[in-house]
Amino acid sequence: MQEPVITVGILSGKEIGFSFPKEFISSDGIAICGIQQAVYRKGKICWQEKEYDELSFTPQQDTSSFFELQDVTIGINFHWERKEVQRFKGELKIIVEDDRLTAINIIPIEDYLTSVISSEMSATASLELLKAHAVISRSWLLNKLKVANGKLKVIMHPDNTANFELSTLPSQLIKWYDHEAHKNFDVCADDHCQRYQGITRTSTPQAIEAVFATRGEVLMYEGEICDARFSKCCGGAFEEFQNCWENVKHPYLIGQRDSKTETRLPDLTKEAEADKWIRTSPAAFCNTHNKQVLSQVLNNYDQETTDFYRWRVCYSQQELSELIHKRSGIEFGKIIDLIPVERGTSGRLVRLKIVGTLRTLIIGKELEIRRTLSSSHLYSSAFVVDKEYKEDEKEIPSRFILTGSGWGHGVGLCQIGAAVMGEQGYKYKEILSHYYPGSAIEQQYK
């Protein structure tokens, strides 16, 4: 296999502002530089008073050439959502999708990965962590994209909203959200696929070295490229794949403790054990407050979140009832209780019963729970609930306190835990064998 070239969807809109500090050549042979704007009009791309069905811009041989895109939204629907100007190497392609324009970056996969590991975390992270992340990011991508005759074919699930598992009972609504299948490009640039921000974030020599040193390497299990998931902080215990997404068990994505010294993991599927685990602070690689380590893993906007391993969120009755109504579209009335129904191996809730004065409903899986109980996303679904009551009202809680564990789904590599392992001297292959037990590294191309 040769190194694949991939297409990355960056942004969509009625207008796209972009610029070329150095000369690019348009698809109709025009040499161009400086500030540009493309506008959607009646199913066409309008640029420089001409109309196009599709428009592309290719850099000259100068390897330092890049283009800029204005108003790129990052962290879509997450608590750090914002717009910024971003820079990209490679080719810019603009297409029409529905009633808007979409900007696409065409780039070799290894250049893409250098950006991903610099965007997912600080490019100043330890070399071994960056190597590990290069391997899993490459594995995840090639697991989702099938290479045939030198071209990539998308094999992601075609549903781009949610997968539903509807119980025969009207009292349950179980959804899971996987990475979107994109019709006109391979992957998007945001957290829904992998966080890709071109060369906006500085790629240090270490990040470049990490990608080069692991070139073509992927995680394999029984002849298949691993679906190498990862999240910010597992909270001390790994979650299993089937508890977050479709009901498929991957042997390399299993529940275990994020530690080499404390290997015993309580049965966190049991409520009493989960309650004790979440309310305490067990030893784990990701149980760290070391700012130097955290700064290596987290970009500036990620560091706006100060509690990773254990956290606490409080809602008044009015706040919670209005939030659940807004996020679910279902009127529950006043919220009487939030009752755990099913937990996974990390203590994350797979199913949660919401009891209201007007309606009772069991929801899941973990991301649906997180979306329902936060204006963006709750840090994780590994939480326990305490209720407070007013003296004159003993049946309806006046306040709910959620005490939680971890950040993200907790499946696969724990970025903060892996950062600590790298700082403690573990090599990238040791880090990967810890988070993906039973997997092996193979080189797919040179």
Side-chain angles (χ1 to χ4, degrees), residues 38-155:
V39 179
Y40 172 84
R41 188 176 299 138
K42 296 181 180 180
K44 298 287 186 178
I45 303 166
C46 296
W47 175 67
Q48 291 198 343
E49 300 181 350
K50 293 182 181 180
E51 291 186 344
Y52 301 83
D53 293 318
E54 187 175 290
L55 185 60
S56 62
F57 301 91
T58 305
Q60 296 301 288
Q61 296 301 316
D62 186 349
T63 57
S64 65
S65 294
F66 63 88
F67 63 89
E68 291 185 333
L69 287 174
Q70 307 293 319
D71 295 327
V72 180
T73 303
I74 63 172
I76 297 173
N77 295 326
F78 287 88
H79 59 275
W80 61 85
E81 181 175 327
R82 69 201 64 197
K83 292 181 182 293
E84 64 180 20
V85 177
Q86 292 189 348
R87 295 179 173 183
F88 301 89
K89 294 175 66 176
E91 182 180 342
L92 170 63
K93 182 179 181 180
I94 300 176
I95 64 171
V96 176
E97 282 194 308
D98 299 323
D99 59 349
R100 57 182 51 212
L101 305 181
T102 296
I104 297 170
N105 185 199
I106 302 174
I107 189 167
I109 191 172
E110 297 297 309
D111 287 340
Y112 165 83
L113 289 170
T114 301
S115 171
V116 165
I117 65 171
S118 301
S119 302
E120 285 285 352
M121 61 188 69
S122 170
T124 61
S126 72
L127 179 59
E128 296 306 309
L129 171 62
L130 294 175
K131 286 180 181 178
H133 218 296
V135 173
I136 64 171
S137 293
R138 188 183 293 111
S139 300
W140 177 85
L141 181 60
L142 292 180
N143 172 273
K144 297 301 175 191
L145 304 175
K146 183 178 181 181
V147 180
N149 300 321
K151 295 185 178 180
L152 293 170
K153 179 182 179 182
V154 177
I155 56 171

Side-chain angles (χ1 to χ4, degrees), residues 233-239 254-266 268 277 281-288 309-310 410 412-414 416-422 424 426 430-431 433-437:
C233 179
C234 68
F238 307 163
E239 192 49 74
I254 60 172
Q256 68 178 44
R257 190 159 176 172
D258 188 23
S259 175
K260 290 291 190 183
T261 56
E262 301 288 340
T263 57
R264 179 186 171 275
L265 179 65
L268 302 182
W277 177 267
S281 185
F285 285 122
C286 59
N287 185 359
T288 181
Y309 195 67
R310 294 295 182 267
L413 182 134
C414 168
I416 293 176
V420 172
M421 291 186 73
Q424 291 182 0
Y426 288 92
E430 295 175 303
I431 294 172
S433 67
H434 173 64
Y435 289 107
Y436 307 94

Side-chain angles (χ1 to χ4, degrees), residues 73-331:
T73 303
I74 63 172
I76 297 173
N77 295 326
F78 287 88
H79 59 275
W80 61 85
E81 181 175 327
R82 69 201 64 197
K83 292 181 182 293
E84 64 180 20
V85 177
Q86 292 189 348
R87 295 179 173 183
F88 301 89
K89 294 175 66 176
E91 182 180 342
L92 170 63
K93 182 179 181 180
I94 300 176
I95 64 171
V96 176
E97 282 194 308
D98 299 323
D99 59 349
R100 57 182 51 212
L101 305 181
T102 296
I104 297 170
N105 185 199
I106 302 174
I107 189 167
I109 191 172
E110 297 297 309
D111 287 340
Y112 165 83
L113 289 170
T114 301
S115 171
V116 165
I117 65 171
S118 301
S119 302
E120 285 285 352
M121 61 188 69
S122 170
T124 61
S126 72
L127 179 59
E128 296 306 309
L129 171 62
L130 294 175
K131 286 180 181 178
H133 218 296
V135 173
I136 64 171
S137 293
R138 188 183 293 111
S139 300
W140 177 85
L141 181 60
L142 292 180
N143 172 273
K144 297 301 175 191
L145 304 175
K146 183 178 181 181
V147 180
N149 300 321
K151 295 185 178 180
L152 293 170
K153 179 182 179 182
V154 177
I155 56 171
M156 291 185 187
H157 195 287
D159 186 355
N160 65 359
T161 52
N163 299 285
F164 290 81
E165 179 187 279
L166 293 174
S167 168
T168 55
L169 300 174
S171 59
Q172 294 197 57
L173 178 59
I174 309 300
K175 302 179 185 179
W176 69 89
Y177 298 80
D178 212 337
H179 300 281
E180 296 181 359
H182 301 289
K183 181 180 179 181
N184 297 310
F185 47 87
D186 298 323
V187 290
C188 71
D190 205 53
D191 296 71
H192 300 95
C193 287
Q194 293 192 108
R195 189 184 293 178
Y196 170 69
Q197 295 165 0
I199 57 172
T200 310
R201 305 283 179 264
T202 302
S203 295
T204 65
Q206 272 196 307
I208 296 169
E209 181 183 350
V211 174
F212 179 78
T214 64
R215 181 179 174 84
E217 289 186 355
V218 296
L219 283 175
M220 302 288 292
Y221 187 87
E222 294 186 349
E224 299 290 335
I225 299 176
C226 293
D227 188 351
R229 304 293 172 116
F230 56 89
S231 64
K232 285 295 179 190
C233 179
C234 68
F238 307 163
E239 192 49 74
E240 295 192 349
F241 181 92
Q242 71 276 11
N243 293 327
C244 298
W245 299 289
E246 61 182 318
N247 293 321
V248 175
K249 189 176 179 68
H250 294 299
Y252 53 87
L253 296 174
I254 60 172
Q256 68 178 44
R257 190 159 176 172
D258 188 23
S259 175
K260 290 291 190 183
T261 56
E262 301 288 340
T263 57
R264 179 186 171 275
L265 179 65
D267 185 355
L268 302 182
T269 64
K270 296 180 178 178
E271 193 58 32
E273 294 287 359
D275 188 284
K276 181 180 178 181
W277 177 267
I278 292 169
R279 292 185 191 276
T280 56
S281 185
F285 285 122
C286 59
N287 185 359
T288 181
H289 296 283
N290 186 318
K291 291 184 178 180
Q292 181 180 354
V293 172
L294 293 176
S295 68
Q296 292 179 14
V297 178
L298 306 170
N299 286 306
N300 291 336
Y301 49 83
D302 283 336
Q303 293 182 52
E304 293 170 9
T305 304
T306 57
D307 298 314
F308 309 103
Y309 195 67
R310 294 295 182 267
W311 48 265
R312 192 168 181 261
V313 174
C314 301
Y315 293 117
S316 68
Q317 172 64 234
Q318 182 177 348
E319 288 172 336
L320 185 61
S321 57
E322 289 179 355
L323 176 64
I324 292 176
H325 182 206
K326 178 181 178 181
R327 298 292 284 170
S328 69
I330 299 170
E331 178 58 76

